[in-house]
Amino acid sequence: MAPILFHFPDSASLAESIRKQTDWEYGAWEHHRFPDGESRLRILNSEQVKDRDAVILLSLDKPNQKIIPLLFLARLLRAEGAARVGLAVTYLAYMRQDKSFHPGEGISQRYFAGLLDSHFDWLVTLDPHLHRISSLTEIFTVPARHGSAAGAIGKWIHNNIEKPVIIGPDEESRQWAEQVAGPGNLEYLVLNKIRRGDKEVEILFPEGFEWQGRQPVLVDDIISTGRTMIETALQLEKHGARVPVCIGVHGLFTGDAREKFAEAGIERIITCDSVPDPTNAIDISSVMVRLIKEMLPGPNPG
Ligand code: R5P
């Protein structure tokens, strides 16, 4: 039987794209917030859940707000008799806190993964920040897989940018820069970043690269404060290059990020629709459909 897909409200547009590619049924649910901030959830078509594979689709940006309704929804689906409950999370939060950086500090990545692990039968995600761990299986005991937006980003660059040079601002971005540049055999550079604080980064830039007539395209997994991209853009300017096009898989744009991009004169900022945002221009729905199908039992339905 085809699965039933429940989505969080801000993933409605992505859910619609998925609906067009599958014959999956859609789950309807309601989230009531009480005046004191507590949540009550209700599944509106609960009679359709029994013995079905249920999938919850959401982005875990603003994770602290979303985690309680997410875990409650998973519990409720089980209580209503779902055969399995899977998680299709387009942006997996807390992946950057993968180490105890100071004495006494918790490793949030593991704690957060533990919460999801205990509520879901499987998990799929897109471009998780894998730095000190190389696979999701190191932090999840349930089956967990990821896909990448690199192919879709490469296609977007091919269709929209002339003479691009792909730039990964730090070693961690090498995996995206290489994959994006690979199929079109595009030139790419990977820089070095020294992070001095949440909003303070230094980018080490190579001398002697010929920028004349080339369009720098910065590619990174996450745009959060924007400082990594903005600092890289300043270095590009110093080296006589054009204002870059900035592409992030997941655009979080925290705090004053948008103002800082504008101040730096960076106008072309493109993101994937893994985190809903006005900058979304790259559709990742087909990657999510493929990943979800891989997790469903039997011959891939839909
Ligand atoms: C870091 O390791 C990530 O790959 C990104 O480079 C980082 O999260 C970007 O953060 P921000 O936009 O705050 O500089």
Side-chain angles (χ1 to χ4, degrees):
M1 204 189 304
I4 180 161
L5 186 78
F6 289 80
H7 65 80
F8 269 51
D10 59 356
S11 293
S13 155
L14 185 64
E16 187 51 34
S17 307
I18 291 178
R19 185 202 296 267
K20 288 181 186 150
Q21 296 166 50
T22 63
D23 65 356
W24 301 344
E25 213 163 308
Y26 274 67
W29 64 293
E30 207 173 67
H31 178 188
H32 177 74
R33 282 181 204 275
F34 289 99
D36 59 3
E38 292 183 359
S39 291
R40 182 189 63 211
L41 269 52
R42 183 173 165 220
I43 296 172
L44 302 176
N45 50 352
S46 57
E47 69 292 343
Q48 287 163 32
V49 168
K50 195 159 174 42
D51 299 327
R52 299 276 289 278
D53 276 283
V55 181
I56 304 177
L57 173 77
L58 90 163
S59 160
L60 273 170
D61 58 302
K62 304 185 194 75
N64 295 8
Q65 277 176 35
K66 292 181 178 177
I67 189 73
I68 286 291
L70 174 63
L71 300 185
F72 283 9
L73 183 56
R75 290 286 293 258
L76 180 53
L77 286 166
R78 272 191 214 291
E80 292 296 329
R84 275 162 295 272
V85 184
L87 176 61
V89 52
T90 49
Y91 168 64
L92 181 56
Y94 279 109
M95 290 296 287
R96 291 176 295 172
Q97 295 183 41
D98 55 0
K99 182 184 156 182
S100 187
F101 292 94
H102 303 101
E105 207 171 68
I107 306 178
S108 312
Q109 181 196 66
R110 288 185 182 267
Y111 307 158
F112 194 70
L115 285 174
L116 301 178
D117 205 52
S118 59
H119 283 76
F120 290 92
D121 292 295
W122 52 261
L123 169 146
V124 293
T125 191
L126 186 84
D127 288 317
H129 188 81
L130 297 176
H131 178 41
R132 289 178 188 86
I133 61 162
S134 60
S135 161
L136 292 175
T137 56
E138 292 177 45
I139 51 170
F140 289 99
T141 61
V142 296
R145 281 192 202 164
H146 74 274
S148 177
I153 294 174
K155 210 176 278 173
W156 187 92
I157 294 172
H158 176 78
N159 292 336
N160 291 279
I161 310 284
E162 266 184 52
K163 299 211 173 126
V165 179
I166 312 301
I167 302 175
D170 55 20
E171 255 320 300
E172 289 153 69
S173 64
R174 179 179 289 280
Q175 48 191 315
W176 292 280
E178 280 182 356
Q179 283 179 52
V180 166
N185 213 11
L186 303 175
E187 270 184 289
Y188 73 92
L189 281 178
V190 177
L191 309 178
N192 280 309
K193 176 170 82 178
I194 302 169
R195 184 172 281 284
R196 302 200 188 280
D198 284 349
K199 292 187 173 179
E200 232 181 288
V201 297
E202 187 185 337
I203 300 289
L204 307 178
F205 215 86
E207 297 297 329
F209 193 85
E210 184 46 71
W211 289 103
Q212 191 65 28
R214 288 163 153 151
Q215 176 58 59
V217 181
L218 302 187
V219 179
D220 207 355
D221 58 339
I222 301 168
I223 303 177
S224 179
T225 66
R227 298 315 196 266
T228 300
M229 292 216 166
I230 292 164
E231 187 53 40
T232 311
L234 293 176
Q235 291 297 331
L236 281 162
E237 192 186 349
K238 278 190 199 153
H239 287 76
R242 290 183 193 160
V243 178
V245 174
C246 293
I247 305 183
V249 178
H250 311 294
L252 304 179
F253 301 104
T254 54
D256 59 2
R258 291 180 215 272
E259 289 95 295
K260 292 292 175 192
F261 271 111
E263 279 170 23
I266 302 171
E267 287 170 359
R268 284 188 97 182
I269 308 165
I270 305 293
T271 59
C272 299
D273 54 2
S274 52
V275 179
D277 188 79
T279 56
N280 290 168
I282 301 173
D283 173 19
I284 50 86
S285 58
S286 60
V287 183
M288 293 308 292
V289 168
R290 178 180 56 75
L291 288 165
I292 295 168
K293 283 182 176 178
E294 283 173 11
M295 288 300 190
L296 295 171
N300 289 332

